[in-house]
Amino acid sequence: MSGHDQPIPMTARKSGPLRGVAEVPGDKSISHRALILGALSVGETHVTGLLEGQDVLDTAKAMRAFGAEVLRHGPGIWSVHGVGVGGFAEPQDVIDCGNSGTGVRLIMGCMATSPITATFTGDASLRKRPMGRVTDPLALFGARAYGRQGGRLPMTIVGAANPVPVRYTVPMPSAQVKSAVLLAGLNAPGETVVIEKEPTRDHSERMLAGFGARIQTEITPEGRIITLQGQPELKAQKVAVPRDPSSAAFPVCAALIVEGSDILVPGVSQSLTRNGLFITLVEMGADIAFENPREEGGEPVADLRVRFSTLSGIEVPSDRAASMIDEFPVLSVVAACANGTTIMRGVKELRVKESDRIDAMARGLEACGVRVEEDEDTLIVHGMGPNGVPGGATTLSHLDHRIAMSFLVLGLASRKPISVDDGSPIATSFPVFEPLMAAMGATISRSNR
Ligand code: S3P
């Protein structure tokens, strides 16, 4: 949702063994990029498996506002008739990106090197998030940004009429910032170079190459150096969006903590830029079999057979954080059900997500009877073992889909039910979360306790 809907209180109760097949929807990151690159291409891009979550629907609407024709033909089946690089029209109204940081930051990038002006806003969560991390590099291309204090939305971007190419080292591990710079570089003459010290998800680089851009990545001791030739003609493509590993995380973690569970989660990405959670769970002692490894939609995938497991706390190395950045909330839930302590370091980026996720998880876990320690860059969860989490609390989702789903997963294994004040944000990334979990035997209802 975009913060306009009524709150939906939800409650999860201790469940019997989860069984069955959890077919999670399309990848959110790849869905945004398919629509955006489709809009920047010449010809008609066909997309299958598109995530029809609110975040992606808001990006579809934005692409229409910039002049692309975006049509839905059936569940997950969409087409985009693009306007070509440099072909964006000036939108007639404010662009509302709802809850989506990825949407707004990528779209700011791809309009910033065209001679047009656009004003962006979002819901109460997105209006708190920092945009300076994107507008700073966009200023180097010649774009100007006028926003609220602290670089917050609503914000107007005046695109550069005569953009110059840029060489930019991304100061924090962020695929959104990297992607915004690359998308801006598309309409600048010459070479745009982006350097990232820590690898982050590489969907933009892969997809830009797939749409015909000249883009190269060099791995050096300095980090990854990505070089893009400006002003290519992008050609429309067929894009098959693979399932979202960040959504798969919820049924996988639920099965690990609900006694007797045994489920199959097909087609989970094993991309090295996205698989940190699964590596971590295996290190904690999770019984996960990676079956039938293959390629789908250009991504390495496997079917995950997941059984209830007795887990042990571990220290997650900080250089793994970027490959599981969206999975720390649900990992902290699993950590609460493990024996011993789990230490998550190098996680300060969690403070500027849809909510301050360190604070949201720490306060909610404490309310559920779990001991937690935190500092700016660290979250430590003292596990209570299987069947050890008391629960019996109402937690706050802070307009954050992953916080809401994490506490509902915990409620399936805690002694007393766990409620969330507002489950409506779940629709931004995982609109079928409730029926999918119910079909496996999870008891989640739309009510206060
Ligand atoms: C995303 C990048 C990550 C991630 C977000 C999706 C993307 O954000 O948290 O959910 O699609 O590029 P950052 O770039 O802020 O790390």
Side-chain angles (χ1 to χ4, degrees), residues 158-177:
V158 180
N162 296 302
V164 291
V166 153
R167 184 180 177 93
Y168 189 69
T169 301
V170 184
M172 71 290 288
S174 171
Q176 292 175 359
V177 176

Side-chain angles (χ1 to χ4, degrees), residues 12-160:
R13 294 183 165 72
K14 200 170 188 62
S15 298
L18 304 181
R19 292 287 156 87
V21 180
E23 294 189 324
V24 304
D27 190 90
K28 183 151 70 71
S29 294
I30 296 177
S31 295
H32 282 295
R33 287 160 172 82
L35 295 176
I36 291 171
L37 290 186
L40 292 170
S41 297
V42 173
E44 195 148 285
T45 287
H46 289 270
V47 189
T48 53
L50 189 89
L51 169 67
E52 293 179 335
Q54 191 56 47
D55 279 9
V56 177
L57 299 179
D58 287 335
T59 288
K61 204 168 152 204
M63 290 302 100
R64 288 189 192 113
F66 283 102
E69 185 182 78
V70 185
L71 298 173
R72 181 179 191 266
H73 303 281
I77 306 170
W78 290 63
S79 64
V80 185
H81 198 99
V83 294
V85 168
F88 268 10
E90 187 165 272
Q92 291 179 15
D93 205 344
V94 173
I95 303 292
D96 186 347
C97 288
N99 192 251
S100 181
T102 306
V104 73
R105 292 181 176 133
L106 268 53
I107 297 168
M108 281 179 172
C110 62
M111 60 71 56
T113 45
S114 290
I116 56 173
T117 295
T119 300
F120 296 87
T121 192
D123 71 4
S125 154
L126 194 58
R127 280 184 273 115
K128 282 189 202 153
R129 299 179 66 184
M131 296 298 140
R133 54 178 53 202
V134 171
T135 56
D136 287 352
L138 296 184
L140 304 175
F141 287 97
R144 283 170 292 144
Y146 304 92
R148 286 167 58 230
Q149 257 188 17
R152 309 285 196 252
L153 301 178
M155 180 175 274
T156 296
I157 307 282
V158 180

Side-chain angles (χ1 to χ4, degrees), residues 210-285:
F211 275 76
R214 278 174 56 205
I215 181 165
Q216 276 174 349
T217 301
E218 209 186 326
I219 309 204
T220 73
E222 216 193 322
R224 290 186 352 165
I225 304 182
I226 305 151
T227 306
L228 173 79
Q229 298 293 331
Q231 300 181 324
E233 182 172 297
L234 297 184
K235 295 198 184 60
Q237 297 295 314
K238 287 194 171 16
V239 182
V241 179
R243 298 183 194 282
D244 197 328
S246 298
S247 296
F250 295 100
V252 165
C253 290
L256 289 174
I257 62 173
V258 174
E259 237 175 304
S261 298
D262 183 349
I263 67 164
L264 188 74
V265 190
V268 180
S269 173
Q270 299 300 297
S271 157
L272 299 179
T273 65
R274 298 288 295 276
N275 70 348
L277 173 74
F278 306 111
I279 294 172
T280 303
L281 293 172
V282 168
E283 285 177 8
M284 294 173 81

